[in-house]
Amino acid sequence: MLKLPSTATVVALAAVTALGPLATDMYLPAMPAMAEALNTGPDRIQLTLSLYMAGFALAQLVCGPISDRFGRRPVMIAGLSLFLAASLLCAWAPSVEWLLVGRFLQAFGGAAGPVLARASVRDIHGPIEAGRILSYMASTMALAPALAPVVGAGLLLFFGWESVFVVLALYAAVMLAVLIFMLPEPLAKERRQSIHPKTVLANFRLLLTQRAFIGYTLVNAAAFSGLFAYLSGSSFVLIEYLGVAPTLYGVLFTLIVAGFFFGTLVSGRYSHRLGRDRLVTLGSVICATGGVVMAGLATVGVHHPWAVVGPHMVFMLGVGILMPQTMAGALAPNPQCAGAASSLFGFLQMTIAAVVGGLVGQFHDGSSRTMALTIGLMGLLALLSHWLLVRRRKET
């Protein structure tokens, strides 16, 4: 097997992690067209996003503990293989019901990439350096959601919505080749855990008693849910309600990702100087500010694309700052079960986000209010969770 140098390994892990945002963001501009083509309503198409997140969450509870026993590589390879097959099923789905099945299976396979990439960074770099590495991984990964809606809009324009899922299958095939032929196994044999249910449940029980793990996880989940509320509602708000063209929607989405990208750069650059908890404080305050501004504008009746995109850029700046640090903070105390910690972290993150996204779709009133109020609430919850569970933990 050819072995990648350390920098290339980080880039490869970021590329595998990018499978998650690609699978959620690339088809956003196509959602209205998919609803029309499959003769269904916006709520059923939005359900493909929430169901994807639910499958993603459930899969993480499985793949993390299995990887603690058998290693990261084989589980990632199996997951990407399932993702590839499920993407083709989505492309050829004759009805929305088959599309829902394909999206669930796609999520179940795709979860292995982000979960085990995080665990691999913890395996290789340790608790302190992991926050900085995850920040730079997130910066690299930010290219995926920046380009995904633009690519998706182009594919929709020239080849139809089905081509989005064909491209996702091709991406998974490339990542499979990298994993099989170039990426070494990061988990040492002496650190492998039993896969016995008692051991797995004991690890989960240990994590759920740690205030640090719960605190960092809830801050992350609240911020991520605000992002997911935007993913769930923005195409219908901007394209159908505010009249933005699908191609322009993709361009506006790159501005949202730019906020996240600069946040990750701040997080990586100032990781050592400011420390993890100061950066999480800063990110939480910025998230709350952006979310409250968006909610306020929607409440007073300001319905304009920039009233949505501008505040969410601010929100995403905060997400970029806090997300890598909360990931590292949740995994730091648990080197003996990093896979299980990453699994439980991701399960809680995705489950909360799936519920929030489903509610946005269910209560969408044709305007921006539901989405904006939800994002504002999630920003405030991130700040409150940090104050109650992370900051007070340090004070005590």
Side-chain angles (χ1 to χ4, degrees), residues 226 282-298 306-319 371-380 383:
L282 176 63
S284 300
V285 170
I286 293 174
C287 280
T289 301
V292 168
V293 169
M294 186 194 294
L297 290 173
W306 284 110
V308 174
V309 175
H312 201 64
M313 285 177 63
V314 176
F315 185 91
M316 289 301 293
L317 174 66
V319 174
M371 183 184 75
L373 290 172
T374 302
I375 293 171
L377 178 60
M378 291 303 105
L380 291 173
L383 184 60

Side-chain angles (χ1 to χ4, degrees), residues 56-108:
F56 209 93
L58 289 172
Q60 293 186 72
L61 289 180
V62 177
C63 64
I66 291 176
S67 77
D68 280 338
R69 172 65 182 86
F70 297 106
R72 315 303 184 201
R73 276 185 80 249
V75 182
M76 282 195 280
I77 289 169
L80 282 177
S81 300
L82 177 58
F83 181 94
L84 193 160
S87 297
L88 294 177
L89 174 59
C90 290
W92 297 327
S95 66
V96 69
E97 288 77 18
W98 277 106
L99 181 64
L100 290 168
V101 172
R103 286 291 284 171
F104 183 81
L105 293 176
Q106 194 184 42
F108 214 83

Side-chain angles (χ1 to χ4, degrees), residues 99-125:
L99 181 64
L100 290 168
V101 172
R103 286 291 284 171
F104 183 81
L105 293 176
Q106 194 184 42
F108 214 83
V115 174
L116 302 184
R118 286 195 300 262
S120 297
V121 169
R122 177 62 183 83
D123 294 333
I124 298 167
H125 295 283

Side-chain angles (χ1 to χ4, degrees), residues 29-52:
M31 289 174 78
M34 291 168 65
E36 182 178 354
L38 295 174
N39 194 28
T40 189
D43 57 329
R44 300 296 301 277
I45 295 299
Q46 286 175 315
L47 185 60
T48 64
L49 196 55
S50 293
L51 192 63
Y52 179 89

